[in-house]
Every structure is written in C-alpha cells, then in structure tokens.
Amino acid sequence: MAHGPSMLQEAVTRLREGRLVAFPTETVYGLGADALSEAAVARVFAAKGRPSNNPLIVHVADTAHARLVTSNWPREAQLLADAFWPGPLSLVLPKAANVPASVTANSPNVAVRCPDHPLTLELLRSFGKPLVGPSANKSGGVSPTCAQHVREAFDDDTVYVLDGGPCTAGIESTVLLLADLADHADHAPRVLRPGLISAEQIASVLKQPVADFVPGLKHEGTLNSPGLLEKHYAPATRTQLVSLADLPKVLSSVRSAVVMSHVAVAIAPPHHLELLPLDARGYAAGLYAALRSADARRCDLIAVIAPPDGGPDVAVWQAITDRLRRASA
Ligand code: TXA
Ligand code: MG
C-alpha cells in the first residue's frame, strides 16, 4: 500500500478537475468524485456503466459535511452519527438543493455516510467537500475490496486509485431510510440494504422500532435501494447457493465447480474448495475476494454452501446471504 502526501495531493488535484479517484473505506473501495459537480457525477455513471436510476451515496468527513448536503438533520440522524460514524451506516435524508439531481436519481432524498478509513477521511478534509462513492466496480460486478480489484476494472487515466490496503469489513454499508417517514404507515426508520450494523443495533440507539430489511420488498414511489436491482455483486460464472446435503448432486451435474464454504468439506478434483472463515465478520471480509478468485478459475459453477441463518451474528450472516442471493440471481 503505497501512499504519501504526494499521492493525496494528486488525488485532490484530480477531484478539483472533476475527475475520478477511487478511495479505500472499511467496507469496499468507492469511486469518488465531487458530489456537488454535475459533470463529475456524470463521469462516475459513465465509467461504471451505471443506470441513471440508481442513486449514489455521498461520503462526508463529519456531520458538518452531512448537514451541507441534507435539508433536514433530525435528532435521529445525530444520534446515529454519534454512535456509528465513522462507520458502515448510510443515512437517507431529505437532500439539500445544492446536490445535483443525478446524485439521487431524482429522489428528494440523499444517502450520506462517513467512511471509517484514515486516508479517506484525510482526502475528504483536504478536498473540503463531500464525494459521491459508489463501489468502484463496473455496474453489476463484484465490489472491490483492495486497490488491485479497482485497477483491474478501470485504466489509470480514468480512475486514480488511492491504495489504503485491503478493506476490513468487506461488505457494503447498511442503508437506513430516515426520510419520508410520513409516507410510511408505521413511521419507522427502515433498513433498505442490510450490512454489518443491524436493525437491532440501530433500534437500541434510537430507542424506537426499526423496520428490518425485507428481501424483495419494493417501496412505493421513491426508488428503492442497492440491490433492488436483483442481479448484483455477481461474478461471470454461474453462482448457486446450495445446502451441504444437495452438494454431491449439484457437483455431479457439472464438469467442474468451485465450492465456497465456511465449513470444512471434502472436495476432490476436478472441483476446487474456496474455504472462508467460520465467523460471520471474517467471512464478510473475505467474501468478495473469494468470489473473484473462484470466478478466475473459469469453472462451470460456483457453488456456495448456504451460510447459517441463526446463532451469533445472525444479522451479519443475513447481510452476507443478501449479497450471495444477488450474486446468484
Ligand atoms: O459501503 C458502501 O456503502 C460503499 C462504500 C464505497 O461507501 N458504497 C456503496 O455504493 O456500496 P453503491 O453505489 O455500490 O451502493 C449504494 C446503494 C445504491 O445501490 C443505492 O440504491 C442506495 O445505496 N442509495 C443511494 N442513495 C440512495 C437514496 N437517495 N435513496 C435510497 N437508496 C439510496
Ligand atoms: Mg455497488
């Protein structure tokens, strides 16, 4: 991980020119651009090949930055920022007028988050303005968890990569809808994308109920979230969630497969084993790199042993299962 004052300076210079800089966060690498510049934001959509109806998260150095891009900063937002920022929680709030409509895909709301990485916090402070930051992959692909993943997707001229080492959390932030509450019968904050911060943790800070993520649920009117695009986070190789019991049958139906598993399982050639940690946080941190190396083997199938659906860290397993479900959609 090579970086220094000169790399940070180069990154800031490029951002001021309206160009793209990939930055490290604790979750995945983001594709950064000036959030208040229409032209810079357009470059992000173009480079990713991202549909214009999928809004971007705005990354901020602190709550002062967050207030610049939101028109309403309720007590709930302040409580959550105090508890979880910098960290993997994006808050969806009414947007301020200075945020280009393209950032929010014409939604009246904007998602904001303060990422937990020292290099990126320094970048945000030096640049002095918020940055949009979708995951730094081509649209629909697997999110990048190290600088090399970003370099494989974009050329150096289009995207300058700030290398901050491997991402420690490994899956994207929890997205929480705090705006538009009046439109919901229950008026409860709602998790639009599950992540490492659970609905339960949020509820205990807010001391009020929080509607948990429901797979497949679409919201009336406003756009949905992350992965309401069904296929997402997907390798090129066909990917399937399988139970341990079904594995022999599945393997016998293909020439070669990579089995991704959190439990030891005996796999003989021509199949391969990609073993992931048994603990949910370790699994999340290694998930995308494992999907990429499984993909690189160019087998017929990536068979992922279904993760636990209970026990400790069940919320983290649910977030992982959400990503796997989308990878196999
Ligand atoms: O951890 C993360 O959130 C990473 C890092 C780089 O910060 N970023 C990330 O961005 O995952 P992206 O663009 O890959 O996913 C952001 C998701 C989008 O799919 C989008 O649907 C949702 O957040 N989102 C963004 N703005 C929104 C809004 N105004 N209303 C509802 N959902 C929104
Ligand atoms: Mg993404």
Side-chain angles (χ1 to χ4, degrees):
M1 74 181 235
H3 70 267
S6 63
M7 296 193 74
L8 198 68
Q9 196 46 57
E10 172 69 15
V12 170
T13 301
R14 291 205 185 200
L15 291 172
R16 295 214 168 108
E17 292 167 358
R19 297 168 71 193
L20 311 184
V21 172
F23 57 77
T25 82
E26 77 283 31
T27 61
V28 302
Y29 273 70
L31 189 57
D34 184 344
L36 304 183
S37 159
E38 189 102 50
V41 170
R43 285 195 189 100
V44 172
F45 280 94
K48 277 186 66 86
R50 184 174 177 109
S52 61
N53 64 358
N54 195 0
L56 307 178
I57 294 174
V58 172
H59 293 68
V60 296
D62 48 36
T63 55
H65 256 177
R67 284 162 178 272
L68 277 181
V69 293
T70 53
S71 63
N72 181 10
W73 183 255
R75 188 182 144 270
E76 288 81 358
Q78 187 62 45
L79 286 171
L80 292 171
D82 288 343
F84 299 115
W85 281 6
L89 178 65
S90 297
L91 303 175
V92 178
L93 290 159
K95 85 187 242 326
N98 60 349
V99 178
S102 54
V103 170
T104 65
N106 290 315
S107 165
N109 303 322
V110 63
V112 287
R113 105 166 178 102
C114 178
D116 190 11
H117 195 292
L119 189 55
T120 294
L121 288 170
E122 209 179 328
L123 176 72
L124 284 163
R125 285 187 211 105
S126 305
F127 182 54
K129 283 196 281 180
L131 296 172
V132 290
S135 51
N137 51 276
K138 293 282 167 70
S139 187
V142 178
S143 298
T145 51
C146 67
Q148 185 54 31
H149 294 163
V150 184
R151 293 197 183 102
E152 286 163 13
F154 304 99
D155 65 73
D156 297 348
D157 202 48
T158 311
V159 178
Y160 186 76
V161 185
L162 266 187
D163 189 344
C167 302
T168 52
I171 57 174
E172 300 83 351
S173 62
T174 304
V175 177
L176 183 73
L177 182 65
L178 280 180
D180 273 3
L181 297 185
D183 291 346
H184 292 281
D186 56 8
H187 287 233
R190 174 178 294 278
V191 175
L192 299 180
R193 176 173 70 181
L196 292 189
I197 294 178
S198 66
E200 198 181 337
Q201 284 174 285
I202 294 165
S204 82
V205 168
L206 294 182
K207 299 187 173 56
Q208 65 163 300
V210 171
D212 206 349
F213 174 72
V214 179
L217 180 76
K218 313 245 170 178
H219 296 283
E220 306 282 311
T222 47
L223 59 208
N224 315 292
S225 214
L228 299 182
L229 298 170
E230 265 300 298
K231 190 173 162 77
H232 214 79
Y233 316 110
T237 311
R238 184 165 68 89
T239 302
Q240 193 184 335
L241 273 166
V242 299
S243 66
L244 266 180
D246 287 344
L247 186 63
K249 192 177 68 202
V250 169
L251 291 185
S252 68
S253 70
V254 293
R255 272 174 314 183
S256 64
V258 179
V259 177
M260 261 176 61
S261 181
H262 57 291
V263 287
V265 39
I267 300 296
H271 307 305
H272 305 272
L273 178 64
E274 187 77 53
L275 193 61
L276 279 156
L278 183 56
D279 75 288
R281 279 163 205 278
Y283 189 111
L287 172 62
Y288 289 142
L291 277 176
R292 281 165 187 267
S293 57
D295 205 17
R297 289 187 183 273
R298 310 215 166 276
C299 290
D300 296 341
L301 177 72
I302 301 173
V304 187
I305 302 300
D309 57 3
D313 268 333
V314 63
V316 177
W317 284 121
Q318 275 163 2
I320 290 166
T321 303
D322 167 68
R323 304 315 189 271
L324 290 171
R325 203 176 54 76
R326 293 183 209 288
S328 56

